[in-house]
Amino acid sequence: MTPEQQILDLIQKINYYNDRYYQDSVSEISDFEFDQLLNQLKALESQYPEFRQSDSPTQRVGGTVTKSFNTVYHRYPMLSLDNTYNEQELRNFDDRVRKGLNGEAYEYICELKFDGISLSFTYENGVLVRGVTRGDGTRGDEITNNIKTIRTLPLRVKAAGLPELFEVRGEGFMPISSFQKLNEEMETLGENLYANPRNAASGSFKLQDSAETARRALDCYIYSFITDNEVFKSHEESLLELKSRGFNVSPGWRKVQTIDEVIAYIHAWEEKRMTLPLATDGIVIKVNSFEQQRELGFTAKSPRWAISFKYKAENKPAVLRSVNFQVGRIGTITPVANLCAESERMLPYNQVRGVHLSGTYVKRATLHNANELIRLGIRIGDTVFVEKSGEIIPKITGVDITQRENFLTVPIDFPVNCPECGSPLQRNEGEVAFFCPNDSHCPPQLKGRIEHFIHRKAMNIESLGEGKVETLFDINLVRTPADLYDLKYESLLGLEKNILNEETGKIKKISFREKTVENILNGIALSKTVPFKNVLFALGIRFVGATVAEKLAVYFKSIDALRTASYDQLVAVPEIGGRIAQSIVSYFSVPENQLLVERLQRAGLQMESDEKPVVLESNVLEGKTFVISGVFENFDRDDLKDKIEANGGRILSGVSGKLNYLLAGANMGPAKLEKARKLGVTILAEEEFLAMIRNK
Ligand code: IVH
């Protein structure tokens, strides 16, 4: 087989297993075998880029980095829907539809209203060519590389019977379970948490690194089909057809004849919607016939043929039993309310189930910070109101003052000392949160530091995840990251611990068997090759996130240069402000931190870097995209890539309609050249390219 045939053959196989998995829920091969096929394909594609296909399944795993997204106009504007909040408003909508259609018979399609972000996908000749966010409805961000990571979105569909150009639209979302996992991870890294799955989805669809988007396992429900010329008669027909062509059509839709049936649908889904993998905040009602949709038309903002109905956020009374003050991984103190249902007032707290709210029992709710306690004015023993914001995160919205019996309630005293280590708490000027300053001895902070250290984006010792670090910490075997490098096979083998998940009440047994211990030790040994910028990030210096760590690594090049740098030298680094500089100086002034760094240095971690900074020479190539192919006289490909980026241009992975320039060297693949010519891409010789950047 020629390499091209091999590529096509692999694509066909992978697509087949993907469809079986995502559409029929059948795994015919193991994950391992699947990854092997994918890796073979990736290797072939990088060896023969001219044969890379725009619908290759390797795009599902991302890998392209987009510096800034192009803004593109929507071919058809993306409108919004009018909202209704009660039955009467719905009946008024129905009256308007009946009048608008002059007494003709009509049907409705009822759908769930998903709480994600609206996306539009364009297909040309059956191939997915573009994905765009809603933006302001007229134009949005082109995020094609990121939407290709949605596994349920077909990269290619059978074109027969469909127009050459069509658009499908749907709601992109992050499943609630992935949202919770992501936020746990963000917490470990000391980064800001997402307030709800919708914000998380929105942020994740707009990440510059599509490999990171891929990891976040986003999904999308499709709910509409748009073309210039009519292919289907009704919304129902289009949904059925989309489904049969492999689209992940929104679940739960139903055709009904009357507004009473619409109302019955609303009631039927009020509770059931909680079983879906994402938040829903209402339902959408659409007139089924496309002809009738046209008759009814649009107002300036929204269609007259559709409307949404919003469920009221469920709000219930609960009793505030007590407040815990949790110490976070970076020392932040968060008050957390322990709640029970009114009927459970007399039960011991470990027998309490909590208040039933939007599908789950709630017995805890964050109170955020001391200011929130003052704002709410709540006392222990009070009856408070609980609601789920975005249907996910429980929130106390107020107190039922009529229920308060002063002698039965007590004020909440915000602690003066850390509940874990007793240190006096502090609060920085201008910040709302109190924190425990004892970062070198306070147990949850020490444990948090180690969890941060082993994280994938830091030292990447995944074999220590899932409760293992916690176990080693609790039995005093590992108290600082440096202790990891002293671990021995014999001291780990046979260790066991039961870890209780307080939320679910489930116990997880952690045991260190031979294989586990080998994996752990291998993971630790391998971490010694992780680059300096990761090591720097892994130290967990306040305000030194992954990006700042990289900048510091590029600038100072070694831990020795960084730890002796003065405040003034630090603020002289581009993008390093006073707050970061101060934090670095304080970190290296603490004897425990100095000792930690010395021990890590002795253990053989990478404490120097040779990374080159990207220095912007000009912006003459801003907004321009390039593909490099073939062999060049004055540069090798990496140099050319650096040159393009240094002048503001972007590198794309393959030739497509949105490419501006193909930089063509000697011996480049004829297929790629041909494709570029067909698509009207400008083909540049090395000299012409050099002239472009010389004219800056
Ligand atoms: S149809 C003309 N169907 O709600 C509007 N939208 O306020 C066509 N949404 O931006 C939209 N679920 O993001 C439609 N089943 C559904 C939906 C849905 C959620 C969102 C969508 C849109 C917003 C409209």
Side-chain angles (χ1 to χ4, degrees), residues 616 618-624 643-650:
L616 211 55
S618 85
N619 53 9
V620 281
L621 304 181
E622 197 172 311
K624 300 281 184 287
K643 266 275 171 251
I644 290 172
E645 284 176 345
N647 286 282
R650 271 199 300 135

Side-chain angles (χ1 to χ4, degrees), residues 79-81 83 111-118 134 170-171 223 250 284 286 298 303 305:
L79 301 175
S80 55
L81 292 168
N83 292 322
E111 288 169 17
L112 286 151
K113 187 168 193 299
F114 305 105
D115 196 13
I117 71 161
S118 194
R134 178 173 185 276
E171 198 78 353
Y223 49 64
S250 63
V284 182
K286 301 173 183 173
F298 298 86
W305 45 264

Side-chain angles (χ1 to χ4, degrees), residues 41-50 52 637:
L41 179 59
K42 259 195 253 172
L44 277 167
E45 282 176 345
S46 68
Q47 204 181 345
Y48 304 99
E50 63 273 29
R52 190 191 296 254
R637 284 212 225 187

Side-chain angles (χ1 to χ4, degrees), residues 268-306:
W269 275 96
E270 177 138 29
E271 281 287 314
K272 205 161 68 176
R273 69 199 172 104
M274 306 304 169
T275 58
L276 293 169
L278 80 166
T280 46
D281 55 357
I283 68 154
V284 182
I285 303 131
K286 301 173 183 173
V287 168
N288 188 23
S289 146
F290 283 154
E291 198 182 322
Q292 291 181 333
Q293 287 190 2
R294 268 196 306 276
E295 262 176 71
L296 289 163
F298 298 86
T299 68
K301 260 180 28 243
S302 48
R304 291 202 180 87
W305 45 264

Side-chain angles (χ1 to χ4, degrees), residues 310-357:
K310 293 263 194 144
Y311 287 111
K312 267 195 226 53
E314 214 182 346
N315 192 303
K316 279 201 182 153
V319 178
L320 178 63
R321 293 281 293 253
S322 60
V323 174
N324 285 352
F325 292 88
Q326 289 182 351
V327 185
R329 301 189 197 288
I330 50 168
T332 313
I333 311 293
T334 310
V336 179
N338 295 316
L339 303 163
C340 72
E342 285 182 306
S343 58
E344 296 172 322
R345 209 181 258 274
M346 303 317 264
L347 283 182
Y349 201 64
N350 60 6
Q351 287 173 29
V352 159
R353 230 175 15 160
V355 191
H356 190 75
L357 206 62

